[in-house]
């Protein structure tokens, strides 16, 4: 039925998301007017009569001019009069390849409704409702004893929601933006939101944050009742980035303390995003503990895979909300590192950190400038013999040049690799898949490599990853990593012991490999 309606629209150049939604709303409103006026819906109305009814009563002033004649509307009406408008909206948004808006997995809505039931919340605000349409369809929460306000910025989608929910007196539809102060007098016990990721908003000069995620939360906090909660989906960078975002985290936690943080699994959003995401619950009635958990999908439901609690005062002292590390099985090891009396120093204070140059495949050609990529790092070493080249003036790529003793690490891909760059002839630059760390005299590169590839260092790096299955590290985030500040003598001692044992290991492996090949070939020769 829905596909038939789509096909008629597409044959008449009605193809955009809003156009498809608009005509479905027009049909639904016409049908409702006919029923309200006592016109038997089962009676086959003549196209001319039906078209006139639509013009007079179908909301043309609100929906705009109908892009066709009476014959077209007759076809659309017959195809669409029995469509479930909410299901139609879900499928239309899912098929939208142009706008590409996020559609959230219904498990998020399910957990939100469960939380509201547990706390006996009854007044709910769901923002940017088009993102949660799958959750509305699957949970049917509007049929439960909630008073629900659905907010959307899109005019046509607001009309669709008003048309569909007209029989539901417990559902209110309003149009507005969460990136502007909302002129609402009502306050809510629970708010659900997933702000747009990574946008910079035009705010006043005196605001602490211009990131869309923080701006949205700031505008929603005043709408929360005492004792209420706001559940918000945030990308990884909002959890640990420094600067204005760190200030925002601190101030927000003071106004509406964090109650719960969940690490979300991959694939909860459409289109599937490679950004790691978290569901954070803020409440304006402070609790004694903060619940931290990692969620996984089981039978389309989000369930806790691992969870811990920490005291609110301990959470308040945390510089960031990198809970991935706290949820690691080797938490004790991380706590020992954090509590050790050995001085620590952030990479940003002792090194220059930069990402390499973006190079397209078609730019790889015979030239004098060699390029390091992920494939050129193996077993902690740089394989110089296999570097590809580009034909580029050296002066244009000097800012990406790698020097002897620079520490290089992968920032994309599926595996984190580290290596100290050896002495090399000619200019070698890093690709965009590589981060270069150039240390000052305080720290030796080989020592830093040892720490970053250790279990603690690996956990620290993992906690910074903005990606999910595909790693995505940002140089500014890497700069926040703390490493132990040992004396030069102790660093050199550890480096020497590491290199000696590694060389011994490689020698033993090589000898064992050679012996195995000899014995194997000897045995093969004895078979015939």
């Amino acid at each position: 039925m829905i596909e038939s309606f789509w096909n008629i629209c597409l044959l008449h150049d009605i193809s955009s998301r809003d156009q498809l939604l608009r005509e479905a709303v027009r049909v639904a409103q016409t049908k409702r007017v006919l029923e309200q006026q006592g016109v038997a819906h089962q009676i086959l109305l003549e196209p001319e009569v039906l078209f006139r009814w639509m013009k007079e009563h179908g909301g043309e002033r609100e929906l705009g001019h109908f892009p066709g004649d009476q014959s077209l509307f007759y076809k659309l009406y017959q195809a669409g009069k029995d469509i479930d408008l909410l299901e139609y909206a879900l499928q239309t948004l899912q098929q939208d390849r142009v706008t590409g808006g996020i559609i959230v997995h219904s498990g998020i809505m399910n957990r939100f409704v469960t939380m509201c039931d547990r706390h006996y919340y009854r007044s709910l605000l769901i923002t940017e409702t088009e993102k949660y349409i799958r959750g509305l369809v699957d949970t049917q929460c509007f049929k439960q004893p909630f008073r629900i306000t659905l907010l959307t910025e899109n005019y046509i989608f607001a009309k669709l929601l008003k048309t569909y929910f007209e029989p539901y007196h417990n559902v209110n539809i309003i149009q507005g933006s969460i990136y502007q102060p909302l002129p609402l007098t009502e306050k809510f016990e629970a708010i659900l939101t997933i702000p747009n990721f990574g946008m910079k908003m035009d705010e006043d000069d005196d605001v602490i944050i211009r990131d869309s995620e923080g701006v949205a939360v700031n505008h929603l906090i005043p709408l929360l009742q005492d004792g209420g909660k706001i559940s918000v989906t945030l990308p990884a960078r909002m959890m640990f980035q420094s600067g204005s975002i760190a200030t925002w985290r601190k101030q927000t936690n003071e106004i509406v303390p964090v109650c719960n943080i969940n690490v979300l699994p991959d694939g909860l959003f459409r289109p599937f995003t490679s950004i790691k995401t978290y569901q954070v619950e803020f409440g304006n009635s402070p609790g004694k503990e903060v619940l931290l958990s990692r969620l996984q999908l089981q039978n389309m439901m989000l369930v806790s895979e691992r969870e811990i609690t920490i005291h609110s005062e301990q959470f308040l002292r945390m510089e960031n909300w990198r809970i991935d590390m706290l949820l690691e099985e080797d938490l004790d090891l991380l706590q020992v590192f954090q509590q050790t009396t050995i001085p620590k120093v952030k990479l940003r204070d002792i090194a220059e950190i930069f990402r390499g140059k973006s190079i397209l495949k078609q730019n790889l050609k015979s030239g004098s400038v060699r390029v390091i990529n992920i494939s050129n790092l193996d077993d902690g070493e740089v394989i110089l013999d296999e570097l590809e080249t580009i034909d580029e003036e050296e002066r244009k790529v000097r800012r990406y040049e790698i020097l002897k003793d620079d520490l290089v690490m992968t920032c994309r891909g599926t595996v984190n690799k580290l290596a100290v760059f050896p002495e090399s002839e000619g200019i070698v630059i890093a690709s965009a898949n590589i981060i270069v760390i150039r240390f000052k005299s305080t720290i030796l590169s080989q020592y830093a490599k040892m720490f970053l590839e250790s279990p603690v260092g690996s956990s620290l790096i993992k906690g910074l990853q903005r990606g999910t299955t595909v790693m995505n590290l940002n140089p500014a985030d890497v700069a926040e990593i703390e490493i132990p500040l040992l004396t030069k003598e102790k660093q050199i001692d550890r480096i020497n012991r590491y290199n000696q044992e590694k060389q011994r290991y490689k020698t033993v492996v090589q000898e064992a490999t050679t012996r195995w090949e000899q014995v194997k070939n000897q045995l093969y020769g004895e078979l015939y």
Side-chain angles (χ1 to χ4, degrees), residues 191-195 217 230-234 278-282:
I191 300 174
L192 180 63
T193 186
I194 172 172
V217 172
I230 173 170
S231 180
V232 53
T233 307
L234 294 173
Y278 301 76
Q279 196 71 22
V280 184
E281 287 182 8
F282 300 91

Side-chain angles (χ1 to χ4, degrees), residues 3 24-25 31 34 60 109 126 164 181 186 195 212 236 243 288 316 318 328 334 339 345 349 355 391 393 431:
E3 288 190 2
V25 173
K31 174 186 175 182
L34 289 172
E60 189 168 37
M109 176 77 80
I126 300 172
Y164 181 84
E186 182 181 1
S212 49
K288 293 183 178 180
L316 192 62
M318 292 171 58
E328 289 294 326
L334 287 167
Q339 296 170 6
V345 61
D349 297 326
R355 172 174 272 168
D391 185 16
E393 294 181 41
S431 75

Side-chain angles (χ1 to χ4, degrees), residues 81 222 244 313 331 342 516:
K81 58 185 173 62
S244 62
E313 292 183 2
L331 174 61
I342 296 175
W516 167 238

Side-chain angles (χ1 to χ4, degrees), residues 463-475:
L464 292 172
Q465 291 182 9
R466 299 187 182 192
T468 52
T469 53
V470 178
M471 179 176 60
N472 183 7
L473 291 173
N474 187 288

Side-chain angles (χ1 to χ4, degrees), residues 117-156:
D117 274 334
R118 186 170 64 249
H119 293 283
Y120 301 101
Y121 294 151
R122 288 297 174 259
S123 59
L124 282 52
L125 172 64
I126 300 172
T127 75
E128 298 186 316
T129 307
E130 56 270 29
K131 296 177 179 179
Y132 295 104
I133 188 166
R134 177 179 291 280
L136 283 176
V137 170
D138 290 350
T139 65
Q140 299 285 295
C141 59
F142 47 87
K143 295 180 180 178
Q144 298 181 38
F146 296 123
R147 299 187 308 279
I148 303 175
T149 297
L150 302 177
L151 175 71
T152 179
E153 197 171 347
N154 184 282
Y155 174 79
I156 294 301

Side-chain angles (χ1 to χ4, degrees), residues 359 364 369-390 402 408-410 412 415-422 428-434 449:
I359 300 172
L364 295 171
V369 177
R370 293 183 292 169
V371 181
I372 282 186
N373 214 325
I374 297 174
S375 59
N376 304 122
L377 304 184
D378 184 49
D379 193 25
E381 297 180 0
V382 179
I383 312 301
L384 291 173
D385 296 338
E386 301 176 3
L387 301 185
E388 294 184 283
T389 62
I390 59 172
I402 308 175
V408 293
M409 66 184 297
T410 54
R412 292 175 183 165
V415 179
N416 184 246
K417 299 180 179 181
L418 292 143
V420 176
F421 190 72
V428 180
I429 68 170
S431 75
N433 296 323
I434 301 293
K449 172 182 174 293

Side-chain angles (χ1 to χ4, degrees), residues 132-237:
Y132 295 104
I133 188 166
R134 177 179 291 280
L136 283 176
V137 170
D138 290 350
T139 65
Q140 299 285 295
C141 59
F142 47 87
K143 295 180 180 178
Q144 298 181 38
F146 296 123
R147 299 187 308 279
I148 303 175
T149 297
L150 302 177
L151 175 71
T152 179
E153 197 171 347
N154 184 282
Y155 174 79
I156 294 301
F157 193 72
K159 292 299 298 180
L160 183 144
L161 293 175
K162 287 180 180 178
T163 302
Y164 181 84
F165 287 108
E166 186 177 343
Y168 295 89
H169 301 297
N170 63 317
V171 180
N172 182 38
I173 314 299
I174 57 177
Q175 189 182 354
S177 170
I178 60 175
Y179 311 105
Q180 301 288 336
L182 289 161
L184 299 177
T185 56
E186 182 181 1
K187 292 194 174 186
F188 305 90
E189 293 173 305
I191 300 174
L192 180 63
T193 186
I194 172 172
N196 294 329
F197 295 162
M199 295 176 60
K200 291 293 184 181
M201 314 305 298
D202 293 329
E203 292 287 296
D204 297 333
D205 292 337
D206 58 346
V207 298
I208 62 168
I209 192 168
R210 286 185 167 81
D211 298 78
S212 49
E213 302 93 336
V215 169
V217 172
N218 288 351
H219 288 151
L220 290 171
I221 287 174
L223 302 179
L224 201 60
Q225 286 188 21
D226 291 341
K229 283 186 171 63
I230 173 170
S231 180
V232 53
T233 307
L234 294 173
R237 65 184 179 83

